[in-house]
Amino acid sequence: KFFNAFEFISSMSSGFDLSSLFESK
Amino acid sequence: RTCQHADLERLARESQFSVNEVEALYELFKKLSCSIIDDGLIHKEELRLALFQAPYGENLFLDRVFDLFDEKKNGVIEFEEFIHALSVFHPYASIQEKTDFAFRLYDLRQTGFIEREEVQQMVSAILLESDMMLSDELLTMIIDKTFADADSDKDGKISKDEWNVYVHKHPSLLKNMTLPYLKDVTTAFPSFIFNTEVED
């Protein structure tokens, strides 16, 4: 499915997903 | 530590946020910055706790995000640094700002290029983090294919210009660089109203 390394990194890395900052409010 | 009116106005000018939104984000900042050490600064453990619900454990990406927030490189995130970095994630921030920020995230060794080893390191970190297995052969194939597409001068590293072109071709790469919540922070943190200095 992921033949683009950056696509893989950006969709799989939880450390880059800052939305949880707001979800934990 | 408090945030004076002049600071709020300056931060609003320097970011995509209104004064009231900066105030609302100050409520979030206060909460994050006192979760472990109550000193009005966000320490790495506090960011980790907010993102992963656990204060310990190594994470390559968390380290990079923290480093980019920490403009002064003093090991903590101050409120103005928090606003500056979050502004890049605003839905109205320019694509160029987001593209630049993503480049700096991926340029692990801060050489001004995204090198093959760095991409390999990031992919391997995710595989480890998510308990996924991938053969070395397949990993090499994925990196080869990515570089064939992104590294147009074939020097084994992705320059800023090459990155700009590549992201333009693959805009979904910036998906994580936009936080829709930021359009609505005053609703998300209504308690700012009790401390507000101005009416927008």
Side-chain angles (χ1 to χ4, degrees):
Chain A
K1 188 183 169 189
F2 297 104
F3 277 104
N4 177 328
F6 291 108
E7 198 83 58
F8 179 74
I9 295 165
S10 66
S11 28
M12 295 293 289
S13 161
S14 48
F16 282 171
D17 182 8
L18 298 184
S19 55
S20 42
L21 287 183
F22 302 90
E23 282 156 5
S24 65
K25 68 178 187 296
Chain B
R1 283 163 198 267
T2 54
C3 214
Q4 303 299 319
H5 189 198
D7 293 331
L8 297 172
E9 278 192 339
R10 178 178 54 82
L11 290 173
R13 271 198 313 276
E14 292 170 359
S15 70
Q16 297 289 335
F17 304 112
S18 68
V19 175
N20 277 170
E21 287 170 333
V22 173
E23 289 179 303
L25 285 169
Y26 192 53
E27 298 299 311
L28 171 63
F29 181 82
K30 278 193 293 188
K31 192 189 151 216
L32 296 174
S33 64
C34 71
S35 65
I36 298 176
I37 304 164
D38 192 2
D39 60 356
L41 301 161
I42 300 178
H43 295 253
K44 195 182 279 184
E45 294 75 14
E46 291 172 323
L47 185 66
R48 191 181 289 130
L49 181 64
L51 293 179
F52 301 131
Q53 286 75 54
Y56 306 109
E58 286 302 306
N59 188 291
L60 173 68
F61 301 101
L62 177 102
D63 288 349
R64 286 304 296 143
V65 168
F66 189 88
D67 282 351
L68 287 190
F69 271 66
D70 179 15
E71 291 167 22
K72 294 181 187 163
K73 306 295 172 211
N74 57 354
V76 285
I77 301 171
E78 297 173 17
F79 182 56
E80 66 169 45
E81 294 173 329
F82 186 67
I83 292 294
H84 290 161
L86 280 186
S87 179
V88 178
F89 291 82
H90 195 287
Y92 299 148
S94 71
I95 298 289
Q96 193 56 55
E97 266 184 281
K98 293 173 190 289
T99 307
D100 292 348
F101 198 93
F103 183 86
R104 291 166 62 211
L105 274 174
Y106 296 145
D107 178 13
L108 300 180
R109 286 179 274 194
Q110 294 152 76
T111 56
F113 296 93
I114 303 173
E115 292 162 76
R116 201 187 153 87
E117 296 74 33
E118 291 169 324
V119 180
Q120 194 155 344
Q121 191 182 345
M122 289 185 278
V123 173
S124 300
I126 292 170
L127 292 172
L128 200 67
E129 188 185 305
S130 52
D131 279 334
M132 281 169 67
M133 300 289 281
L134 202 65
S135 68
D136 286 350
E137 205 180 14
L138 192 52
L139 179 59
T140 305
M141 219 170 85
I142 291 172
I143 310 261
D144 283 349
K145 191 167 185 313
T146 303
F147 271 75
D149 196 9
D151 176 22
S152 40
D153 65 5
K154 309 287 168 225
D155 64 352
K157 52 191 187 182
I158 300 165
S159 68
K160 198 74 182 290
D161 288 344
E162 288 168 338
W163 178 249
N164 285 338
V165 174
Y166 187 66
V167 169
H168 190 73
K169 266 173 27 190
H170 302 277
S172 66
L173 294 182
L174 296 183
K175 206 172 56 194
N176 279 358
M177 296 301 308
T178 295
L179 295 169
Y181 301 88
L182 292 176
K183 252 169 56 178
D184 242 354
V185 282
T186 53
T187 320
F189 301 97
S191 55
F192 88 90
I193 289 167
F194 301 113
N195 303 316
T196 188
E197 303 243 353
V198 288
E199 276 181 44
D200 260 2

